[in-house]
């Protein structure tokens, strides 16, 4: 029997500005059961939706300098549309020996599935403004009418909701209303969840939607992509240490710790030195 491959003991790092990446983590665990996972939430920088592009790109690239050093992951999943659509290329350029799997709005699958050709993308204001998003539409959805809906509040609402706080139906209804378009007798039939926080609210969206639509969550596709890039790591089965979560604030509150524990994540006490300044532009 050959020596265990050292690389097989390296974890998969899942990154987001907050708790949204947990929607991707839960799918990735199913498909990559043999690996240890490290979850990192840049809660000190949350929400990313309103950051300027240059500031966010620099911030995320600097932060990954620390994360790669501290955790030496076998693969990084950037489970954040807002971060990846602006910083994905810069991350790959800055750390060429590392493997990054990104998250971008699922515009291609939406365009393939829609019958009405009316598709909406519900995302943060940052994501809907990105050239990256516009390019996806031009490349894959030119036959569709794509409605971009940038919500300034939904990511925070999802954070509150998943921690057990009440979020008023009216407030959520107001954020999703623009995603429902009627045009010449046709109606939106697919809404792309272009922010990893939103699947936590999917049941509420379904209940409040003016008519039924498909809510497209890319989590499983992202996990499948990550799986395809990672060799099966036999020797890593049943890793000795538990999956863990780290917060750039260094101070997640009780509700957040409890949420992480419910996902089987031990909350680490690491403090972060990179990307600490608040570079919101
Ligand atoms: N979860 C993030 C995304 O997928 C963004 C949330 C935020 O920081 O505004 O876009």
């Amino acid at each position: 029997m050959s020596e265990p491959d050292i690389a097989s003991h390296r974890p998969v790092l899942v990154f987001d500005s907050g708790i949204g990446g947990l929607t991707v983590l839960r799918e990735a665990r199913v498909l990559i059961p043999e690996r240890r996972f490290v979850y990192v939430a840049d809660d000190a920088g949350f929400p990313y939706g309103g950051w300027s592009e240059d500031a966010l790109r620099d911030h995320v690239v600097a932060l990954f300098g620390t994360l790669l050093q501290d955790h030496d992951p076998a693969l990084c999943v950037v489970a954040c549309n807002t971060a990846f659509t602006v910083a994905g290329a810069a991350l790959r350029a800055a750390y060429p020996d590392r493997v990054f799997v990104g998250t971008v709005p699922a515009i291609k699958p939406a365009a393939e599935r829609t019958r009405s050709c009316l598709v909406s993308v519900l995302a943060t204001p940052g994501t809907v403004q990105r050239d990256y998003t516009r390019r996806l539409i031009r490349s894959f959805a030119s036959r569709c009418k794509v409605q971009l809906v940038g919500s300034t509040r939904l990511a925070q609402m999802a954070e509150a909701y998943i921690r057990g706080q009440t979020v008023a139906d009216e407030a959520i209804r107001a954020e999703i209303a623009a995603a429902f378009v009627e045009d010449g007798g046709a109606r939106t039939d697919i809404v792309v969840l272009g922010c990893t926080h939103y699947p936590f609210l999917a049941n509420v969206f379904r209940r409040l939607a003016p008519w039924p639509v498909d809510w497209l969550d890319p989590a499983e596709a992202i996990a499948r992509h990550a799986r395809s890039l990672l060799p099966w790591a036999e020797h890593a089965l049943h890793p000795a240490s538990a999956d863990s979560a780290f917060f750039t604030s260094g101070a997640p509150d009780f509700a957040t710790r409890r949420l992480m524990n419910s996902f089987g994540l031990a909350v680490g006490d690491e403090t972060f030195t990179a990307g600490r300044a608040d570079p919101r532009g």
Side-chain angles (χ1 to χ4, degrees):
M1 196 167 144
S2 62
E3 277 296 298
D5 170 13
I6 297 295
S8 71
H9 295 282
R10 290 160 60 199
V12 174
L13 190 147
V14 178
F15 174 82
D16 183 35
S17 57
I19 50 91
L22 295 172
T23 61
V24 178
L25 175 85
R26 64 186 173 191
E27 298 294 337
R29 273 174 161 167
V30 174
L31 297 181
I32 313 171
E34 81 281 16
R35 292 270 178 179
R36 184 166 60 84
F37 282 81
V38 173
Y39 187 78
V40 179
D42 184 13
D43 60 334
F46 178 84
Y48 277 175
W51 282 51
S52 79
E53 295 201 351
D54 289 347
L56 185 57
R57 186 184 304 109
D58 293 350
H59 173 74
V60 170
V61 170
L63 185 53
F64 264 88
T66 306
L67 299 178
L68 295 172
Q69 214 168 20
D70 289 355
H71 301 289
D72 191 25
L75 179 143
C76 301
V77 179
V78 181
C80 177
N81 297 264
T82 315
F84 191 78
T85 50
V86 73
L91 280 170
R92 288 181 173 138
Y95 311 109
D97 55 337
R98 299 293 185 162
V99 185
F100 292 95
V101 169
T103 308
V104 301
I107 288 163
K108 184 168 182 266
E112 285 163 0
R113 279 181 222 179
T114 178
R115 285 160 175 263
S116 69
C117 289
L118 293 178
V119 167
S120 294
V121 177
L122 189 59
T124 66
T127 298
V128 300
Q129 280 158 23
R130 302 275 187 263
D131 285 344
Y132 197 121
T133 304
R134 312 272 162 156
R135 276 201 304 274
L136 286 175
I137 294 170
R138 276 200 304 276
S139 307
F140 302 113
S142 52
R143 75 181 182 99
C144 302
K145 280 194 183 161
V146 180
Q147 170 89 343
L148 293 169
V149 182
S151 166
T152 49
R153 299 173 65 207
L154 272 180
Q156 284 102 317
M157 289 177 181
E159 292 262 339
Y161 180 78
I162 197 68
R163 289 181 177 86
Q165 295 163 28
T166 307
V167 182
D169 281 358
E170 272 323 302
I172 295 181
R173 198 179 270 123
E175 296 301 303
I176 65 172
F180 290 83
V181 176
E182 294 190 278
D183 185 3
R187 285 172 156 185
T188 302
D189 62 354
I190 299 193
V191 179
V192 173
L193 298 174
C195 169
T196 51
H197 279 68
Y198 300 172
F200 282 129
L201 290 170
N203 284 338
V204 184
F205 292 164
R206 275 188 200 100
R207 183 167 55 78
L208 299 178
W211 59 81
V213 295
D214 276 353
W215 299 91
L216 248 187
D217 173 4
E220 194 198 329
I222 297 162
R224 262 191 275 117
H225 186 205
R227 172 76 277 177
S228 74
L229 297 175
L230 271 179
W232 173 258
E234 189 66 37
H235 302 292
L237 266 176
H238 310 301
S241 51
D243 292 351
S244 47
F246 296 91
F247 290 79
T248 55
S249 68
D253 61 14
F254 174 74
T256 305
R257 286 176 178 270
R258 195 167 58 178
L259 174 67
M260 294 298 138
N261 294 160
S262 76
F263 271 80
L265 298 165
V267 178
D269 289 323
E270 182 176 309
T271 50
F272 287 79
T273 47
R276 272 229 167 245
D278 185 350
R280 265 162 266 210

